[in-house]
Amino acid sequence: MSIQSPPVFELRDLTKRYKKRTVVNHLSFSGSANEIVGFLGPNGAGKTTTLRMMTGLSPISSGSAAICGHDIQKELEAALAHVGAIVETPSLYNDCTGMENLRLFAKIKNCTPADVDEMAELSGLKERLCDKVSAYSLGMKQRLGISTALLGKPSLLILDEPTNGLDPLAIRNLRAFLKKLSHEDGVCVLISSHMLWEMEKLCDRVVIINEGNFLGEADISRLSRENTNLEDYYVSCVEAEEGEQ
């Protein structure tokens, strides 16, 4: 009998309130190593707010978020030591080269020159790393941003709408990049999006929310075995929610 490894991240009844308005409502789900978890919902569903709470950028109203067993509210520094994240947009220095960005972030994270070389290789940008980031395309900035987030070898990579503004080829390249990170290198990837078709192609499992409420959770391979798809499952979740109102 195989022993199931503990989750890389776990949310329990995570809630965010602004005065009388509840933006995230008792949200609970988790993610494991070697897994890409999609966080799906329309714009304004509460996805970014959830990610901000998970990374300590926004206080939690109630409930909890833990990363590698460390509670965000009680052990923030220990929890974030296991996290690489791009929430909203990559934080890069546009007037510096790609390599200078990698070295700056490596210094902040106390990484070695070998770590920088590894991420330079992983980025797929080696021939452009001497160029200033201001000359990069959106896809190149995303790849560099993810590479800086991966310095220090985090167990969890959090990405907020990373395919926004990318052309189809850049999206395909990013998809292959993330699948290798997760399935070959063991990183747990949590990626938020409102794009059904892209989540179906990229993710192993998808969690669906709307207006801060959990609507459902689907295993992509299981949907395929049952001759259905993520769009049909999503619609059924939304219709079930509307039927309860």
Side-chain angles (χ1 to χ4, degrees):
M1 184 178 68
S2 61
I3 299 175
Q4 188 173 4
S5 60
V8 172
F9 74 87
E10 185 172 19
L11 312 184
R12 292 186 178 181
D13 292 321
L14 191 68
T15 300
K16 180 66 178 181
R17 301 184 189 90
Y18 292 106
K19 296 183 178 179
K20 293 183 179 180
R21 186 166 67 99
T22 299
V23 180
V24 177
N25 186 28
H26 296 283
L27 191 60
S28 298
F29 68 97
S30 62
S32 302
N34 302 96
E35 182 181 36
I36 302 176
V37 180
F39 193 30
L40 180 64
N43 290 329
K47 301 187 303 295
T48 297
T49 300
T50 299
L51 301 186
R52 288 179 61 84
M53 286 191 285
M54 289 180 68
T55 52
L57 296 173
S58 182
I60 295 170
S61 298
S62 64
S64 66
I67 297 167
C68 293
H70 299 286
D71 189 289
I72 283 290
Q73 297 176 96
K74 300 174 182 177
E75 305 172 275
L76 179 61
E77 188 173 342
L80 294 185
H82 298 278
V83 180
I86 300 177
V87 179
E88 295 172 309
T89 57
S91 298
L92 298 169
Y93 298 97
N94 285 322
D95 291 332
C96 296
T97 68
M99 182 59 80
E100 286 170 341
N101 269 271
L102 284 172
R103 288 170 177 160
L104 284 167
F105 282 98
K107 187 174 182 180
I108 292 169
K109 297 184 179 183
N110 296 316
C111 296
T112 67
D115 294 326
V116 174
D117 291 342
E118 183 180 3
M119 288 303 108
E121 183 70 35
L122 186 65
S123 72
L125 298 170
K126 290 198 75 172
E127 295 182 0
R128 296 293 304 275
L129 286 175
C130 291
D131 296 344
K132 287 189 175 181
V133 170
S134 57
Y136 283 13
S137 67
L138 276 173
M140 293 166 67
K141 287 180 179 179
Q142 288 287 21
R143 291 176 74 90
L144 181 62
I146 293 171
S147 297
T148 62
L150 287 169
L151 282 162
K153 296 181 173 60
S155 301
L156 173 63
L157 178 64
I158 297 175
L159 301 175
D160 187 17
E161 302 277 5
T163 60
N164 274 358
L166 301 188
D167 61 53
L169 180 59
I171 291 174
R172 187 179 70 176
N173 290 340
L174 180 60
R175 187 192 311 135
F177 182 67
L178 294 175
K179 284 189 173 183
K180 179 184 182 300
L181 280 176
S182 178
H183 300 157
E184 295 182 23
D185 301 334
V187 177
C188 177
V189 180
L190 174 62
I191 178 169
S192 80
S193 180
H194 61 279
M195 299 170 67
L196 278 161
W197 62 272
E198 183 54 40
M199 291 292 93
E200 188 162 30
K201 288 184 177 182
L202 173 62
C203 300
D204 302 301
R205 182 163 52 89
V206 172
V207 172
I208 300 170
I209 68 167
N210 187 35
E211 296 182 348
N213 296 308
F214 176 90
L215 297 192
E217 184 174 338
D219 181 282
I220 299 300
S221 61
R222 181 175 178 179
L223 290 180
S224 179
R225 290 195 302 271
E226 295 175 350
N227 294 316
T228 185
N229 56 53
L230 184 56
E231 180 181 4
D232 289 342
Y233 181 76
Y234 180 87
V235 170
S236 70
C237 289
V238 173
E239 289 177 343
E241 183 193 36
E242 291 174 347
E244 293 175 358
Q245 293 177 353

